Amino acid sequence: MNLKELAAHLGISQTTVSRALNGYPDVAETTRRQVLEAARRFNYRPNPAARRLATGRAGTVAILFPVERNLLVDPHFFELLAGLAEMIARTEMELSLRATPPQEELETYRRLVNAGRVDGFVLSSPTLHDPRIAELTALGAPFVVHGRTQETLPYAYLDIDNADAFARATALLLDLGHTDVALLNGDAALTFARDREQGYRGALAARGLSAAPGRVTNAPMTEEVGYRVARAMLEAGERPTAFLASSVLLALGVYRAARDLGLSVGREVSVIAHDDALPFLKAETFDPPLATTLSPIRRAGYRIAEMLIERISGVDPKALQELWKVDVVFRASVAPPHGVRRGAAAVRAAGDDAAARRPAR
Amino acid sequence: MNLKELAAHLGISQTTVSRALNGYPDVAETTRRQVLEAARRFNYRPNPAARRLATGRAGTVAILFPVERNLLVDPHFFELLAGLAEMIARTEMELSLRATPPQEELETYRRLVNAGRVDGFVLSSPTLHDPRIAELTALGAPFVVHGRTQETLPYAYLDIDNADAFARATALLLDLGHTDVALLNGDAALTFARDREQGYRGALAARGLSAAPGRVTNAPMTEEVGYRVARAMLEAGERPTAFLASSVLLALGVYRAARDLGLSVGREVSVIAHDDALPFLKAETFDPPLATTLSPIRRAGYRIAEMLIERISGVDPKALQELWKVDVVFRASVAPPHGVRRGAAAVRAAGDDAAARRPAR
DNA sequence: CCGCTCGTCCAAAGCGCTTTGGGTATGCAT
DNA sequence: ATGCATACCCAAAGCGCTTTGGACGAGCGG
């Protein structure tokens, strides 16, 4: 069933049917109702290819990932993807997944935009100085960034308040009496890593403390890295009493390192990690359950899809900037440093500080 | 630059340019060369929407995943996706990712095919009796299955020889002297789980052995499940000396359970897992390194994309059925059962059995 | 020299939609 | 009566490609 047939059936012109369907004003309400009704009855759906050709819009949003860059190593990326796909599925749009060699990335954006194959993009894992922002802005292509950069150009983004989250997590540890806290962070070029370090250092500074040398590491966020780094620190003479990790995978490695050295997490070693709520690796099932700064990345995907669609329909990027507060979830992986005796009251207070705050949606 | 302009530039008709570009026979070689050359020089790319409209082909392959089914919990799915995306990116096609509520899954396939929005599908995680096969076959839509089902309809698939892999892994353990081997498997409705169990039971039977009751479990393949199941078994009176796990994530849980109980993997407990080569969780970096049946799922993605394109261009499904042999990789998580003393020779023999065999590509 | 086949090319008709640029009728002020 | 909005509708022109159905010569056997 196509437009022409539908129009013939109704005894009115294609033009009018098309306008009725697309909500144009100059069609009588009675006619519109008839058209809508008939369309529903015949289960009419406009041919997307024809519509694309006629309008020049692609009806597609894309996310591209550079093959062999860290992204692919990264389950977080796919959680985001899942969120995007779920939301996009509720619209008439498509979500196109595109692989690209990293050197050709900008070129790929350019091609897709110029060929009119894509109406908008989601940018994932932005770096501090991310050339994609300027490129896409110059191309005039709508996009939404998951995270932020140091670009001054106005652009749409959704980010979590990483600095605040890690400041609060650090403060929690300090309140419990820790003074030597290590930060296992992601790649230093990524904005979230910088923000988290900033939150961490800020919280230390607020107590007149500062990180001992070597206490902050930047590396891919894998179990293996977490293990190696934590093990090295724990074997050294002066060892940290608490770890802050930028991912649950890293924390998994920290747990392993502690166990290998006969140290018990939640006693000799405290651990807090940022939790993107990867469904196959749940912090609450760790042993002991892992305290986290929690922000489900899937939900970010939902919202980013919505924002992108708004952006495509012309909403100003400055009106599409969201910064979500993050929950701090207190669990048994965190305790006062071993040997330090504090009143139960102090511990309880720290727990209260961690009371759930819902994201700022 | 579009076809018309290109043709005008060359002083020949659109028709001829189009035919030259698309490899039709009735165009002179000299003309064709000119056209190709000009197309390259002007960086001409046919407008996909126009082509779609004219040909009726969508230029898109899709993979849909039911929201909230296990798939999304499953990093394996995304590894496959990555492989598909990489290969599809080298063609003119698009890869569309579509979320669907599980109850509407078949309906979604139907809609996409009837609306001509998709030329072919990749089916992931097939169950023993998977209704998608019959549905898509009836619709006449090309598809390739990652895995197999018990359907008798001819369909294109790429599967690994799960039965053989697990038979060999089991045999390796038995050769080392184990007699009580547990199998931590995935959801029983999934074909690969059935095949692996079959391989496992076959290998036992070949030695006149059989699995003790409760030695085979079916559940989601997460770290947590691996931990719980393994822990329960290891705490029981009669405990298995070796575990076979259907995923590296499960094995991770087994490691944790063993450690918690003061048992050492590679001594008191042997572990082999199937390894899909998830980039963020590498068996070789486990402690001790984890023995595996190895078959990179990413590579399967590459090949499936190729197969799907062939299928779309008319190749018979029966000509597109591949069963890949799987490497068995011997590592330190496997040893003779504790207490059993065997000659070094026997161990070495078992190691040889595990010599790498490349996939049957 | 005729009629045929081949090899090469082309004009034009779609594909199914959107959008332009009116057309007609009605109502209202002039 | 005339002029002019207003409300509603339509024919037809694209959008950029593929494909149909020839056209036109050249070469060739009869």
Side-chain angles (χ1 to χ4, degrees):
Chain A
M1 170 64 65
N2 59 23
L3 230 211
K4 199 200 294 195
E5 290 163 20
L6 186 62
H9 239 278
L10 285 160
I12 54 184
S13 77
Q14 278 193 50
T15 309
T16 304
V17 177
S18 173
R19 307 194 90 117
L21 257 19
N22 292 323
Y24 278 66
D26 61 347
V27 34
E29 259 324 305
T30 61
T31 326
R32 186 191 304 278
R33 261 201 302 280
Q34 284 172 34
V35 170
L36 255 32
E37 162 60 17
R40 217 177 34 69
R41 217 174 62 242
F42 294 116
N43 196 20
Y44 166 75
R45 302 193 171 268
N47 177 314
R51 173 176 282 187
R52 263 163 231 196
L53 185 56
T55 61
R57 277 174 263 121
T60 299
V61 302
I63 180 162
L64 38 158
F65 60 91
V67 179
E68 301 310 335
R69 206 172 75 178
N70 267 352
L71 276 186
L72 272 187
V73 173
D74 199 339
H76 307 86
F77 176 76
F78 290 112
E79 258 311 277
L80 176 66
L81 205 52
L84 293 172
E86 269 188 59
M87 189 55 75
I88 292 291
R90 303 197 197 150
T91 72
E92 287 289 278
M93 299 222 128
E94 306 223 352
L95 174 62
S96 172
L97 181 61
R98 309 195 140 261
T100 166
Q103 337 67 281
E104 297 171 24
E105 192 175 355
L106 291 182
E107 171 58 23
T108 304
Y109 280 108
R110 222 172 298 138
R111 237 196 29 242
L112 292 174
V113 171
N114 289 336
R117 294 176 73 126
V118 170
D119 295 323
F121 296 92
V122 173
L123 302 198
S124 159
S125 298
T127 55
L128 287 171
H129 300 286
D130 200 309
R132 295 176 296 177
I133 312 268
E135 180 73 30
L136 286 172
T137 304
L139 285 168
F143 62 97
V144 177
V145 183
H146 179 222
R148 281 174 295 172
T149 74
Q150 288 190 328
E151 288 298 329
T152 52
L153 290 166
Y155 60 89
Y157 64 79
L158 169 55
D159 198 2
I160 58 175
D161 195 340
N162 283 297
D164 176 67
F166 270 48
R168 281 157 59 208
T170 307
L172 169 59
L173 292 168
L174 299 181
D175 285 345
L176 288 169
H178 292 271
T179 53
D180 189 352
V181 178
L183 172 63
L184 273 50
N185 212 342
D187 183 340
L190 299 171
T191 312
F192 77 79
R194 196 264 329 249
D195 292 346
R196 290 176 187 175
E197 178 169 340
Q198 192 178 299
Y200 157 85
R201 291 197 189 275
L204 287 175
R207 303 286 202 289
L209 298 171
S210 69
R215 281 298 182 252
V216 175
T217 65
N218 295 96
M221 303 188 293
T222 66
E223 198 271 348
E224 165 67 4
V225 165
Y227 176 77
R228 279 211 321 267
V229 170
R231 174 149 190 155
M233 289 192 194
L234 290 172
E235 280 177 335
E238 190 79 349
R239 70 177 182 226
T241 57
F243 288 86
L244 222 47
S246 257
S247 126
V248 168
L249 280 161
L250 282 168
L252 205 58
V254 176
Y255 272 50
R256 175 153 69 94
R259 219 155 6 212
D260 274 12
L261 297 170
L263 300 169
S264 139
V265 171
R267 295 194 60 214
E268 285 94 346
V269 177
S270 288
V271 184
I272 304 183
H274 182 72
D275 184 4
D276 296 294
L278 304 178
F280 58 91
L281 202 61
K282 296 186 189 297
E284 62 267 33
T285 69
F286 275 43
D287 178 30
L290 174 64
T292 60
T293 54
L294 173 66
S295 183
I297 213 167
R298 179 91 59 104
R299 247 193 266 161
Y302 298 155
R303 182 62 189 139
I304 287 172
E306 290 176 348
M307 291 167 76
L308 181 54
I309 286 168
E310 293 185 61
R311 184 72 195 82
I312 288 172
S313 65
V315 176
D316 191 271
K318 270 175 288 197
L320 294 170
Q321 305 183 326
E322 298 191 4
L323 191 63
W324 289 6
K325 283 286 177 216
V326 169
D327 294 336
V328 176
V329 183
F330 183 74
R331 294 204 186 89
S333 64
V334 162
H338 209 51
V340 177
R341 280 262 43 87
R342 313 183 77 215
V347 176
R348 220 178 306 114
D352 286 347
D353 173 84
R357 307 184 201 168
R358 307 256 36 102
R361 268 298 294 285
Chain B
M1 169 67 63
N2 60 23
L3 230 211
K4 201 201 289 196
E5 290 163 18
L6 187 62
H9 239 279
L10 285 159
I12 54 185
S13 76
Q14 277 193 50
T15 310
T16 304
V17 176
S18 173
R19 308 196 88 118
L21 256 20
N22 292 323
Y24 279 67
D26 62 346
V27 34
E29 259 324 305
T30 60
T31 327
R32 186 190 305 276
R33 260 200 302 280
Q34 284 172 33
V35 170
L36 256 31
E37 162 59 18
R40 215 176 37 69
R41 216 176 61 243
F42 293 116
N43 197 19
Y44 166 75
R45 303 196 170 265
N47 177 314
R51 171 178 283 184
R52 262 162 232 196
L53 184 56
T55 60
R57 277 173 263 122
T60 299
V61 302
I63 181 162
L64 38 158
F65 60 90
V67 180
E68 300 312 333
R69 207 172 75 179
N70 266 352
L71 274 186
L72 271 189
V73 173
D74 199 340
H76 305 87
F77 175 75
F78 290 112
E79 258 311 277
L80 177 66
L81 205 52
L84 293 172
E86 268 187 60
M87 188 56 75
I88 292 291
R90 302 196 197 152
T91 72
E92 286 291 277
M93 301 221 124
E94 305 225 353
L95 174 62
S96 171
L97 181 60
R98 308 196 140 261
T100 167
Q103 338 67 283
E104 297 172 23
E105 191 175 355
L106 291 183
E107 172 58 22
T108 304
Y109 280 110
R110 220 174 298 137
R111 237 198 28 244
L112 292 174
V113 171
N114 289 336
R117 293 175 73 123
V118 170
D119 295 322
F121 296 92
V122 173
L123 303 197
S124 159
S125 298
T127 56
L128 287 170
H129 300 285
D130 200 310
R132 295 176 295 177
I133 311 269
E135 180 72 29
L136 285 172
T137 304
L139 285 168
F143 63 96
V144 176
V145 184
H146 181 222
R148 280 174 296 172
T149 73
Q150 288 188 330
E151 287 298 329
T152 52
L153 290 165
Y155 61 89
Y157 65 79
L158 168 55
D159 198 3
I160 57 175
D161 195 340
N162 283 297
D164 177 66
F166 271 49
R168 281 158 58 209
T170 307
L172 170 58
L173 291 168
L174 299 181
D175 284 345
L176 288 169
H178 293 273
T179 53
D180 190 352
V181 178
L183 172 63
L184 274 49
N185 212 342
D187 183 341
L190 299 171
T191 312
F192 77 79
R194 196 265 327 251
D195 291 346
R196 289 176 188 176
E197 178 170 342
Q198 192 178 299
Y200 158 84
R201 291 197 188 277
L204 287 175
R207 303 287 203 288
L209 298 171
S210 69
R215 280 297 182 254
V216 176
T217 65
N218 294 95
M221 303 188 294
T222 65
E223 197 270 349
E224 166 67 2
V225 165
Y227 176 76
R228 280 211 321 268
V229 170
R231 174 148 192 155
M233 289 191 192
L234 289 173
E235 281 177 334
E238 190 80 348
R239 71 176 182 226
T241 57
F243 288 86
L244 221 49
S246 258
S247 125
V248 168
L249 280 161
L250 282 169
L252 204 58
V254 176
Y255 272 49
R256 174 152 69 95
R259 219 157 3 211
D260 274 12
L261 297 170
L263 300 170
S264 139
V265 171
R267 296 194 58 213
E268 286 93 347
V269 177
S270 286
V271 183
I272 304 183
H274 182 71
D275 184 4
D276 295 294
L278 304 178
F280 58 90
L281 204 59
K282 297 187 188 297
E284 62 267 32
T285 69
F286 276 42
D287 180 28
L290 173 64
T292 60
T293 55
L294 173 67
S295 182
I297 214 167
R298 179 88 60 103
R299 248 194 266 160
Y302 299 156
R303 181 63 189 141
I304 287 172
E306 291 177 347
M307 290 168 76
L308 181 54
I309 286 169
E310 293 185 60
R311 182 73 194 79
I312 288 171
S313 64
V315 176
D316 191 273
K318 270 176 290 197
L320 294 170
Q321 304 183 325
E322 298 190 4
L323 192 63
W324 288 5
K325 283 286 177 217
V326 168
D327 294 336
V328 177
V329 182
F330 183 76
R331 293 204 186 90
S333 64
V334 161
H338 211 49
V340 177
R341 281 261 43 88
R342 313 185 74 215
V347 176
R348 220 177 309 113
D352 287 346
D353 172 84
R357 308 184 200 167
R358 305 254 41 99
R361 271 295 298 284

